[in-house]
Amino acid sequence: MNDRGEYWASQYQNEFGGWNEALREAGFEPNQVWKVPTDDLLNEIRRLARELNRTPKKEQMDDRGEYYGRSYLKRFGSWNEAVRQAGLEPNQRISQSAFRERPDACRLCGDSPDAGLDFHHWRYGENKAGCYLCRACHDDIHAGGARPDNDPGWLMGAVENLIRCHAKHSEETSVQAITTRYNIPSEGLVASAMSNVEV
């Protein structure tokens, strides 16, 4: 689904409570469920860490790993505990409040407008994610109808718009730099959007 579908598998998992539940709702038989050996789970964290050259995040496991992060939560109680069991140091999280506190300047263009900054959402609800942008940059990101009320696939369009705008203001256009700078919840989403955009 992540490779060829219009929506991310995680969207189905969030909406239906799991991929197999989404398959059942669509009238399909669920995939075979089996218990992955603990050593396989831990080895996959280590493999992904070698590939990334750093401790992976749960979202990176979802996007690039063999198993879903949810498998680790069920087995180990938390992603950080799974990382520790794999012999790695958990990532130090940037507190969400750091992204919710209104900064002095737009994260994208660096301007400090008199009218202030708007919080741009990548994810809504209890686990909202986003960053503060000036009105002009906020509108540029939503250009072409990339809005939740206009298009169910708005998020990909908004991230593509962001990447185009970011390239005008910064020479650092790596997936990790963009994901981190704008508090985007998934590196896989940014990587996929980058494959659709020339920078």
Side-chain angles (χ1 to χ4, degrees):
M1 181 56 74
N2 287 346
D3 291 341
R4 298 183 180 198
E6 186 174 347
Y7 306 104
W8 287 90
S10 59
Q11 291 175 282
Y12 292 93
Q13 291 168 334
N14 292 338
E15 181 69 24
F16 298 98
W19 179 251
N20 282 337
E21 287 76 9
L23 289 175
R24 284 189 195 93
E25 187 72 23
F28 295 103
E29 287 293 316
N31 292 315
Q32 183 177 357
V33 179
W34 75 97
K35 185 172 180 175
V36 178
T38 299
D39 285 344
D40 290 356
L41 290 172
L42 297 176
N43 285 334
E44 182 61 6
I45 292 177
R46 294 177 191 118
R47 183 203 66 78
L48 189 56
R50 285 190 302 275
E51 178 183 313
L52 298 170
N53 201 27
R54 62 185 173 85
T55 300
K57 299 175 185 173
K58 183 174 79 65
E59 294 79 13
Q60 292 169 317
M61 181 61 72
D62 288 340
D63 294 338
R64 300 168 80 167
E66 187 174 342
Y67 310 109
Y68 284 112
R70 175 174 275 169
S71 300
Y72 293 89
L73 298 180
K74 288 181 179 178
R75 184 72 52 85
F76 299 98
S78 74
W79 174 252
N80 282 345
E81 183 55 31
V83 166
R84 285 186 197 95
Q85 292 287 327
L88 302 170
E89 281 294 316
N91 290 303
Q92 297 297 318
R93 292 187 57 88
I94 299 171
S95 74
Q96 289 301 312
S97 64
F99 288 105
R100 292 187 185 137
E101 291 174 10
R102 194 178 303 270
D104 294 332
C106 173
R107 289 299 284 163
L108 182 53
C109 70
D111 287 348
S112 300
D114 293 335
L117 302 170
D118 295 315
F119 189 77
H120 173 76
H121 291 83
W122 302 113
R123 184 170 56 206
Y124 293 84
E126 186 177 321
N127 296 318
K128 73 178 181 177
C131 63
Y132 280 95
L133 303 172
C134 67
R135 175 49 49 190
C137 288
H138 191 270
D139 290 345
D140 286 345
I141 288 173
H142 286 297
R147 297 185 171 278
D149 51 344
N150 292 353
D151 177 11
W154 73 275
L155 185 57
M156 183 63 79
V159 174
E160 289 172 3
N161 289 340
L162 171 78
I163 292 166
R164 287 184 197 98
C165 293
H166 174 83
K168 294 176 187 175
H169 297 284
S170 176
E171 293 180 13
E172 175 55 71
T173 57
S174 72
V175 170
Q176 183 181 6
I178 291 172
T179 303
T180 303
R181 180 168 181 82
Y182 303 104
N183 193 29
I184 300 174
S186 167
E187 281 190 4
L189 174 62
V190 176
S192 181
M194 284 187 91
S195 69
N196 299 328
V197 175
E198 285 189 34
V199 291

